[in-house]
Amino acid sequence: MIDFRSDTVTKPTEGMLAAMFAAKVGDDVFGEDETVNTLEAKTAAMFGMEAGLFCPSGTMTNQIAIKSFTQPLDEIITDQTAHVYRYEGGGIMFNSAASVRLLNGDRGRITAEMIEEELNPVGNVHHPHNSLVVLENTVNRGGGSFYTLDQIEPIYHLCKLKGLKLHLDGARIFNALAASGDHAKDYGRFFDGISVCLSKGLGAPVGSVLLGSKETITYARRVRKVLGGGMRQAGFLAAAGIYALDHHIERLKEDHVHAQQIADVLIDLPFVKQILPVDTNIIIFELEDHKNADHLVEELKHEGILCGTFGKQMIRFVTHLDVTEEMVHKAIDILKKMA
Ligand SMILES: *Cc1c(COP(=O)(O)O)cnc(C)c1O
Protein backbone atom coordinates (compact mmCIF):
# COMPACT_ATOMS: atom_id res chain seq x y z
CA MET A 1 0.00 0.00 0.00
CA ILE A 2 1.19 3.48 -0.86
CA ASP A 3 -0.24 5.72 1.80
CA PHE A 4 -0.99 9.28 0.69
CA ARG A 5 -3.71 9.87 3.31
CA SER A 6 -1.60 12.14 5.50
CA ASP A 7 1.95 13.02 6.50
CA THR A 8 1.00 11.84 10.00
CA VAL A 9 1.15 8.14 9.05
CA THR A 10 4.95 7.85 9.09
CA LYS A 11 6.62 5.30 11.34
CA PRO A 12 9.90 6.02 13.19
CA THR A 13 13.02 5.11 11.21
CA GLU A 14 15.67 2.84 12.73
CA GLY A 15 17.86 5.84 13.53
CA MET A 16 14.95 7.57 15.24
CA LEU A 17 14.09 4.47 17.26
CA ALA A 18 17.72 4.15 18.36
CA ALA A 19 17.67 7.78 19.51
CA MET A 20 14.45 7.14 21.43
CA PHE A 21 15.84 4.07 23.18
CA ALA A 22 18.98 5.98 24.15
CA ALA A 23 17.11 8.99 25.60
CA LYS A 24 17.91 10.21 29.11
CA VAL A 25 14.59 10.81 30.82
CA GLY A 26 13.14 12.19 34.06
CA ASP A 27 9.82 13.51 35.31
CA ASP A 28 8.97 16.36 32.97
CA VAL A 29 6.16 17.67 35.19
CA PHE A 30 8.96 18.30 37.73
CA GLY A 31 10.98 19.87 34.89
CA GLU A 32 13.52 17.05 35.20
CA ASP A 33 13.44 15.41 31.78
CA GLU A 34 16.63 16.62 30.16
CA THR A 35 15.66 15.38 26.69
CA VAL A 36 12.38 17.32 26.79
CA ASN A 37 14.25 20.38 28.06
CA THR A 38 16.74 20.04 25.20
CA LEU A 39 13.98 19.70 22.59
CA GLU A 40 12.15 22.78 23.93
CA ALA A 41 15.29 24.91 24.03
CA LYS A 42 16.52 23.69 20.65
CA THR A 43 13.23 24.39 18.87
CA ALA A 44 12.93 27.83 20.50
CA ALA A 45 16.49 28.72 19.44
CA MET A 46 15.84 27.60 15.86
CA PHE A 47 12.95 30.09 15.60
CA GLY A 48 14.59 32.90 17.55
CA MET A 49 12.14 32.58 20.44
CA GLU A 50 12.76 32.45 24.19
CA ALA A 51 11.09 29.25 25.29
CA GLY A 52 9.25 26.12 24.20
CA LEU A 53 6.66 23.68 25.54
CA PHE A 54 6.46 20.08 24.37
CA CYS A 55 2.86 18.87 23.95
CA PRO A 56 1.21 15.66 22.74
CA SER A 57 -0.39 17.26 19.67
CA GLY A 58 -0.62 20.32 17.47
CA THR A 59 -4.22 20.71 18.51
CA MET A 60 -3.02 21.14 22.07
CA THR A 61 -0.27 23.64 21.22
CA ASN A 62 -2.73 25.72 19.18
CA GLN A 63 -5.45 25.56 21.80
CA ILE A 64 -3.04 26.49 24.60
CA ALA A 65 -1.77 29.42 22.54
CA ILE A 66 -5.30 30.67 21.92
CA LYS A 67 -6.13 30.30 25.62
CA SER A 68 -2.95 32.17 26.53
CA PHE A 69 -3.59 35.08 24.16
CA THR A 70 -7.31 35.68 24.73
CA GLN A 71 -9.89 36.36 27.43
CA PRO A 72 -13.43 34.98 27.35
CA LEU A 73 -15.67 37.12 25.04
CA ASP A 74 -12.71 38.03 22.82
CA GLU A 75 -12.74 37.40 19.10
CA ILE A 76 -10.05 35.67 17.07
CA ILE A 77 -9.43 36.53 13.43
CA THR A 78 -8.34 33.78 11.06
CA ASP A 79 -9.03 32.36 7.60
CA GLN A 80 -12.15 30.27 6.99
CA THR A 81 -10.00 27.23 6.15
CA ALA A 82 -8.06 27.39 9.44
CA HIS A 83 -7.28 24.15 11.24
CA VAL A 84 -7.82 25.89 14.59
CA TYR A 85 -11.41 26.54 13.55
CA ARG A 86 -12.35 23.54 11.41
CA TYR A 87 -10.38 20.62 12.77
CA GLU A 88 -9.92 21.15 16.48
CA GLY A 89 -13.38 20.02 17.52
CA GLY A 90 -14.69 23.48 18.32
CA GLY A 91 -11.96 23.81 20.92
CA ILE A 92 -11.73 27.59 20.64
CA MET A 93 -15.26 27.98 21.94
CA PHE A 94 -14.84 25.23 24.54
CA ASN A 95 -11.40 26.10 25.92
CA SER A 96 -11.30 29.85 25.47
CA ALA A 97 -14.97 30.93 25.29
CA ALA A 98 -13.99 33.16 22.41
CA SER A 99 -15.68 33.77 19.06
CA VAL A 100 -14.05 33.61 15.66
CA ARG A 101 -14.19 35.99 12.69
CA LEU A 102 -13.47 34.07 9.51
CA LEU A 103 -11.85 35.74 6.51
CA ASN A 104 -11.87 34.53 2.94
CA GLY A 105 -8.20 34.46 2.02
CA ASP A 106 -6.35 33.33 -1.08
CA ARG A 107 -6.09 29.58 -0.54
CA GLY A 108 -6.10 30.28 3.19
CA ARG A 109 -3.71 33.22 3.14
CA ILE A 110 -5.05 36.45 4.57
CA THR A 111 -3.62 39.98 4.37
CA ALA A 112 -3.26 42.94 6.71
CA GLU A 113 -5.89 44.82 4.67
CA MET A 114 -8.42 42.01 5.06
CA ILE A 115 -7.83 41.88 8.81
CA GLU A 116 -8.05 45.64 9.25
CA GLU A 117 -11.37 45.76 7.40
CA GLU A 118 -12.91 43.26 9.82
CA LEU A 119 -11.64 44.71 13.12
CA ASN A 120 -14.40 45.59 15.53
CA PRO A 121 -14.73 49.16 16.85
CA VAL A 122 -12.92 49.40 20.19
CA GLY A 123 -14.94 50.22 23.29
CA ASN A 124 -18.37 49.53 21.78
CA VAL A 125 -20.17 46.97 23.96
CA HIS A 126 -21.95 45.43 20.97
CA HIS A 127 -18.74 43.99 19.61
CA PRO A 128 -16.40 41.33 20.89
CA HIS A 129 -12.87 42.51 21.58
CA ASN A 130 -10.34 41.48 18.94
CA SER A 131 -7.25 40.16 20.64
CA LEU A 132 -5.65 37.56 18.39
CA VAL A 133 -4.86 36.79 14.75
CA VAL A 134 -4.00 33.20 13.79
CA LEU A 135 -2.13 32.35 10.59
CA GLU A 136 -1.47 28.84 9.24
CA ASN A 137 1.72 28.09 7.29
CA THR A 138 1.53 26.02 5.17
CA VAL A 139 -2.25 26.05 4.76
CA ASN A 140 -3.65 22.53 4.75
CA ARG A 141 -6.98 23.31 3.08
CA GLY A 142 -5.23 25.72 0.74
CA GLY A 143 -3.48 22.70 -0.79
CA GLY A 144 -0.19 23.38 1.01
CA SER A 145 -0.04 27.04 -0.01
CA PHE A 146 2.51 29.07 1.95
CA TYR A 147 3.22 32.60 3.16
CA THR A 148 6.63 34.20 2.77
CA LEU A 149 7.93 36.35 5.63
CA ASP A 150 7.50 39.38 3.36
CA GLN A 151 3.78 38.63 3.28
CA ILE A 152 3.64 38.12 7.04
CA GLU A 153 5.47 41.34 7.94
CA PRO A 154 2.56 43.75 7.20
CA ILE A 155 0.26 41.54 9.32
CA TYR A 156 2.78 41.73 12.15
CA HIS A 157 2.87 45.54 11.90
CA LEU A 158 -0.92 45.79 11.92
CA CYS A 159 -1.11 43.52 14.98
CA LYS A 160 1.47 45.67 16.80
CA LEU A 161 -0.42 48.85 15.92
CA LYS A 162 -3.78 47.47 17.06
CA GLY A 163 -2.53 45.62 20.13
CA LEU A 164 -3.34 42.16 18.73
CA LYS A 165 -1.35 39.02 19.42
CA LEU A 166 -0.20 36.97 16.45
CA HIS A 167 -0.05 33.17 16.55
CA LEU A 168 1.26 30.82 13.87
CA ASP A 169 -0.16 27.36 13.38
CA GLY A 170 3.09 26.02 11.94
CA ALA A 171 2.09 22.37 11.72
CA ARG A 172 3.97 22.34 8.40
CA ILE A 173 6.22 25.34 8.92
CA PHE A 174 9.28 23.44 7.68
CA ASN A 175 7.52 22.72 4.40
CA ALA A 176 6.83 26.45 4.11
CA LEU A 177 10.48 27.25 4.83
CA ALA A 178 11.69 24.67 2.29
CA ALA A 179 9.47 26.27 -0.36
CA SER A 180 9.95 29.97 0.48
CA GLY A 181 13.66 29.92 1.29
CA ASP A 182 12.94 31.95 4.45
CA HIS A 183 14.84 31.13 7.64
CA ALA A 184 13.27 29.77 10.81
CA LYS A 185 15.42 32.13 12.88
CA ASP A 186 13.66 35.17 11.39
CA TYR A 187 10.19 33.97 12.41
CA GLY A 188 10.46 34.63 16.12
CA ARG A 189 10.26 38.38 15.97
CA PHE A 190 6.96 38.37 14.06
CA PHE A 191 4.97 36.01 16.26
CA ASP A 192 3.85 35.87 19.89
CA GLY A 193 3.31 32.13 19.56
CA ILE A 194 4.39 29.46 17.09
CA SER A 195 3.17 25.86 17.04
CA VAL A 196 5.55 23.42 15.34
CA CYS A 197 4.45 19.82 14.61
CA LEU A 198 7.06 17.09 14.87
CA SER A 199 4.62 14.37 13.80
CA LYS A 200 3.80 15.65 10.32
CA GLY A 201 6.46 15.88 7.62
CA LEU A 202 9.26 15.57 10.14
CA GLY A 203 8.28 11.98 10.83
CA ALA A 204 8.25 11.83 14.64
CA PRO A 205 5.55 9.54 16.07
CA VAL A 206 4.09 12.11 18.50
CA GLY A 207 4.36 15.70 19.49
CA SER A 208 4.34 19.42 18.84
CA VAL A 209 6.22 22.29 20.43
CA LEU A 210 4.66 25.64 21.34
CA LEU A 211 7.13 28.53 21.19
CA GLY A 212 6.83 31.94 22.80
CA SER A 213 8.27 34.35 25.34
CA LYS A 214 9.31 32.98 28.76
CA GLU A 215 6.22 34.60 30.24
CA THR A 216 3.90 33.08 27.64
CA ILE A 217 5.37 29.62 28.06
CA THR A 218 5.21 29.80 31.87
CA TYR A 219 1.47 30.43 31.60
CA ALA A 220 1.09 27.91 28.76
CA ARG A 221 2.66 25.26 31.00
CA ARG A 222 -0.17 25.80 33.52
CA VAL A 223 -2.77 25.45 30.76
CA ARG A 224 -1.10 22.28 29.48
CA LYS A 225 -1.40 20.78 32.98
CA VAL A 226 -5.07 21.70 33.20
CA LEU A 227 -5.73 20.01 29.85
CA GLY A 228 -4.01 16.86 31.08
CA GLY A 229 -1.02 17.33 28.80
CA GLY A 230 1.67 17.17 31.48
CA MET A 231 3.64 14.07 30.50
CA ARG A 232 6.18 12.35 32.73
CA GLN A 233 9.14 10.52 31.14
CA ALA A 234 8.34 12.14 27.82
CA GLY A 235 12.01 12.26 26.82
CA PHE A 236 11.54 9.07 24.81
CA LEU A 237 9.16 11.03 22.58
CA ALA A 238 11.19 14.24 22.69
CA ALA A 239 14.24 12.27 21.47
CA ALA A 240 12.29 11.38 18.32
CA GLY A 241 11.57 15.08 17.87
CA ILE A 242 15.22 16.07 18.26
CA TYR A 243 16.21 13.36 15.78
CA ALA A 244 13.58 14.64 13.34
CA LEU A 245 14.84 18.23 13.59
CA ASP A 246 18.41 17.05 12.97
CA HIS A 247 17.73 14.61 10.14
CA HIS A 248 14.39 15.19 8.43
CA ILE A 249 14.23 18.86 7.53
CA GLU A 250 16.59 18.87 4.55
CA ARG A 251 14.72 16.07 2.81
CA LEU A 252 11.30 17.82 2.79
CA LYS A 253 12.07 19.22 -0.66
CA GLU A 254 11.90 15.64 -1.99
CA ASP A 255 8.29 15.42 -0.82
CA HIS A 256 7.53 18.60 -2.74
CA VAL A 257 9.09 17.19 -5.92
CA HIS A 258 7.09 13.99 -5.50
CA ALA A 259 3.85 15.92 -5.04
CA GLN A 260 4.49 17.87 -8.24
CA GLN A 261 5.26 14.67 -10.18
CA ILE A 262 1.98 13.11 -9.08
CA ALA A 263 0.03 16.29 -9.81
CA ASP A 264 1.44 16.36 -13.35
CA VAL A 265 -0.13 12.95 -13.97
CA LEU A 266 -3.42 13.63 -12.19
CA ILE A 267 -4.19 16.70 -14.24
CA ASP A 268 -4.39 14.57 -17.43
CA LEU A 269 -6.85 12.05 -16.00
CA PRO A 270 -10.29 12.33 -17.64
CA PHE A 271 -12.19 12.45 -14.33
CA VAL A 272 -10.04 15.19 -12.79
CA LYS A 273 -11.69 18.58 -13.24
CA GLN A 274 -9.07 20.78 -11.62
CA ILE A 275 -6.21 20.68 -9.21
CA LEU A 276 -5.02 23.34 -6.79
CA PRO A 277 -1.50 24.61 -7.49
CA VAL A 278 0.97 22.28 -5.77
CA ASP A 279 3.30 24.45 -3.70
CA THR A 280 4.56 21.94 -1.13
CA ASN A 281 3.59 18.35 -0.20
CA ILE A 282 -0.21 18.51 -0.51
CA ILE A 283 -2.25 17.80 -3.64
CA ILE A 284 -5.95 18.68 -3.62
CA PHE A 285 -7.98 18.01 -6.74
CA GLU A 286 -11.60 18.21 -7.77
CA LEU A 287 -13.40 15.46 -9.69
CA GLU A 288 -15.72 15.87 -12.67
CA ASP A 289 -19.39 15.76 -11.66
CA HIS A 290 -19.90 12.19 -12.93
CA LYS A 291 -17.15 10.75 -10.73
CA ASN A 292 -17.97 9.91 -7.12
CA ALA A 293 -15.14 10.76 -4.71
CA ASP A 294 -15.83 7.90 -2.29
CA HIS A 295 -15.88 5.43 -5.18
CA LEU A 296 -12.56 6.73 -6.49
CA VAL A 297 -10.97 6.36 -3.06
CA GLU A 298 -12.17 2.72 -3.06
CA GLU A 299 -10.93 2.10 -6.61
CA LEU A 300 -7.52 3.50 -5.74
CA LYS A 301 -7.39 1.42 -2.58
CA HIS A 302 -8.02 -1.67 -4.70
CA GLU A 303 -5.00 -0.67 -6.83
CA GLY A 304 -2.79 -0.13 -3.78
CA ILE A 305 -3.11 3.62 -3.24
CA LEU A 306 -4.56 5.10 -0.05
CA CYS A 307 -5.88 8.66 -0.11
CA GLY A 308 -8.80 10.57 1.36
CA THR A 309 -11.76 12.66 0.30
CA PHE A 310 -11.57 16.30 1.21
CA GLY A 311 -15.07 17.67 0.97
CA LYS A 312 -17.51 17.18 -1.89
CA GLN A 313 -15.83 16.03 -5.12
CA MET A 314 -12.40 16.71 -3.64
CA ILE A 315 -9.51 14.31 -2.99
CA ARG A 316 -6.31 14.96 -1.04
CA PHE A 317 -2.92 13.29 -1.49
CA VAL A 318 -0.05 14.10 0.88
CA THR A 319 3.56 13.07 0.27
CA HIS A 320 5.89 12.33 3.18
CA LEU A 321 8.92 10.52 4.56
CA ASP A 322 7.45 7.04 4.10
CA VAL A 323 6.59 7.60 0.43
CA THR A 324 9.75 6.66 -1.43
CA GLU A 325 10.70 7.64 -4.97
CA GLU A 326 9.98 4.07 -6.03
CA MET A 327 6.46 4.30 -4.57
CA VAL A 328 5.87 7.57 -6.40
CA HIS A 329 6.82 5.91 -9.70
CA LYS A 330 4.54 2.99 -8.93
CA ALA A 331 1.69 5.34 -8.04
CA ILE A 332 2.23 7.25 -11.27
CA ASP A 333 1.99 3.98 -13.26
CA ILE A 334 -1.23 3.06 -11.48
CA LEU A 335 -2.76 6.50 -12.07
CA LYS A 336 -1.76 6.56 -15.75
CA LYS A 337 -3.60 3.28 -16.27
CA MET A 338 -6.79 4.97 -15.08
CA ALA A 339 -6.70 7.46 -17.95
C1 LIG B 1 -2.11 18.36 11.79
C2 LIG B 1 -2.34 19.80 11.98
C3 LIG B 1 -2.39 20.37 13.25
C4 LIG B 1 -2.24 19.57 14.54
O1 LIG B 1 -2.87 18.36 14.52
P1 LIG B 1 -2.66 17.25 15.64
O2 LIG B 1 -3.16 16.04 14.93
O3 LIG B 1 -3.48 17.65 16.78
O4 LIG B 1 -1.20 17.17 15.98
C5 LIG B 1 -2.57 21.72 13.36
N1 LIG B 1 -2.68 22.49 12.24
C6 LIG B 1 -2.62 21.99 11.01
C7 LIG B 1 -2.70 22.89 9.84
C8 LIG B 1 -2.45 20.62 10.83
O5 LIG B 1 -2.39 20.13 9.59
Side-chain angles (χ1 to χ4, degrees), residues 176-198:
L177 293 170
S180 68
D182 287 331
H183 300 289
K185 196 166 38 57
D186 298 325
Y187 261 74
R189 69 192 174 88
F190 292 116
F191 289 97
D192 298 286
I194 300 179
S195 163
V196 178
C197 280
L198 304 165

Side-chain angles (χ1 to χ4, degrees), residues 8 57-60 62 83 88 136 138 140 169 171-172 197 199-200 208:
T8 56
S57 71
T59 297
M60 191 182 279
N62 282 331
H83 192 281
E88 300 187 5
E136 189 173 305
T138 65
N140 178 22
D169 176 356
R172 297 189 179 83
C197 280
S199 60
K200 291 270 165 74
S208 287

Side-chain angles (χ1 to χ4, degrees), residues 24 28 33-47 49-56 61 174 196-199 202 204 206-211 221 224 231 234-246:
K24 293 209 174 75
D28 181 51
D33 189 303
E34 59 183 278
T35 310
V36 171
N37 294 341
T38 299
L39 171 67
E40 291 174 347
K42 180 184 173 78
T43 317
M46 282 177 92
F47 284 86
M49 295 196 101
E50 281 179 8
L53 184 70
F54 184 46
C55 292
T61 43
F174 288 106
V196 178
C197 280
L198 304 165
S199 60
L202 293 190
V206 176
S208 287
V209 183
L210 176 62
L211 307 174
R221 200 173 287 280
R224 186 186 67 174
M231 299 181 285
F236 293 117
L237 299 173
I242 293 170
Y243 184 92
L245 291 172
D246 287 340

Side-chain angles (χ1 to χ4, degrees), residues 25-301:
V25 300
D27 190 324
D28 181 51
V29 176
F30 297 166
E32 290 175 3
D33 189 303
E34 59 183 278
T35 310
V36 171
N37 294 341
T38 299
L39 171 67
E40 291 174 347
K42 180 184 173 78
T43 317
M46 282 177 92
F47 284 86
M49 295 196 101
E50 281 179 8
L53 184 70
F54 184 46
C55 292
S57 71
T59 297
M60 191 182 279
T61 43
N62 282 331
Q63 290 297 317
I64 290 174
I66 292 165
K67 182 70 186 160
S68 302
F69 295 137
T70 60
Q71 294 296 323
L73 306 181
D74 282 357
E75 184 174 76
I76 293 147
I77 297 180
T78 193
D79 184 78
Q80 48 101 5
T81 62
H83 192 281
V84 294
Y85 180 74
R86 284 190 175 235
Y87 297 108
E88 300 187 5
I92 292 176
M93 305 72 179
F94 187 76
N95 295 313
S96 299
S99 60
V100 185
R101 181 73 66 96
L102 297 172
L103 307 183
N104 196 5
D106 166 31
R107 287 200 290 140
R109 291 163 300 188
I110 57 179
T111 64
E113 290 73 33
M114 295 169 74
I115 296 166
E116 190 160 18
E117 226 165 83
E118 293 295 317
L119 286 177
N120 294 324
V122 176
N124 179 329
V125 291
H126 291 91
H127 303 285
H129 172 67
N130 292 124
S131 54
L132 175 65
V133 173
V134 179
L135 306 182
E136 189 173 305
N137 202 15
T138 65
V139 186
N140 178 22
R141 270 198 90 86
S145 52
F146 64 89
Y147 290 91
T148 63
L149 270 181
D150 286 344
Q151 293 167 324
I152 290 170
E153 192 165 359
I155 298 175
Y156 158 77
H157 286 300
L158 177 72
C159 289
K160 272 272 165 278
L161 187 69
K162 302 290 181 183
L164 304 166
K165 299 284 191 198
L166 184 57
H167 173 67
L168 175 67
D169 176 356
R172 297 189 179 83
I173 184 60
F174 288 106
N175 294 93
L177 293 170
S180 68
D182 287 331
H183 300 289
K185 196 166 38 57
D186 298 325
Y187 261 74
R189 69 192 174 88
F190 292 116
F191 289 97
D192 298 286
I194 300 179
S195 163
V196 178
C197 280
L198 304 165
S199 60
K200 291 270 165 74
L202 293 190
V206 176
S208 287
V209 183
L210 176 62
L211 307 174
S213 68
K214 277 186 190 148
E215 196 187 348
T216 296
I217 296 302
T218 299
Y219 181 73
R221 200 173 287 280
R222 293 189 68 85
V223 180
R224 186 186 67 174
K225 190 75 182 93
V226 166
L227 295 176
M231 299 181 285
R232 303 293 178 172
Q233 286 72 30
F236 293 117
L237 299 173
I242 293 170
Y243 184 92
L245 291 172
D246 287 340
H247 296 92
H248 293 166
I249 292 175
E250 284 297 314
R251 59 156 307 285
L252 287 171
K253 284 202 177 97
E254 294 169 29
D255 297 340
H256 300 182
V257 171
H258 290 160
Q260 190 59 59
Q261 288 168 339
I262 292 164
D264 289 345
V265 177
L266 283 170
I267 194 64
D268 289 332
L269 297 182
F271 50 82
V272 174
K273 189 179 199 173
Q274 56 174 334
I275 177 162
L276 290 185
V278 175
D279 292 338
T280 52
N281 69 326
I282 298 175
I283 308 155
I284 295 178
F285 58 98
E286 188 184 353
L287 302 178
E288 294 286 0
D289 295 342
H290 61 83
K291 191 81 181 174
N292 179 293
D294 291 317
H295 287 176
L296 180 62
V297 169
E298 279 308 310
E299 273 177 64
L300 287 169
K301 190 174 172 183

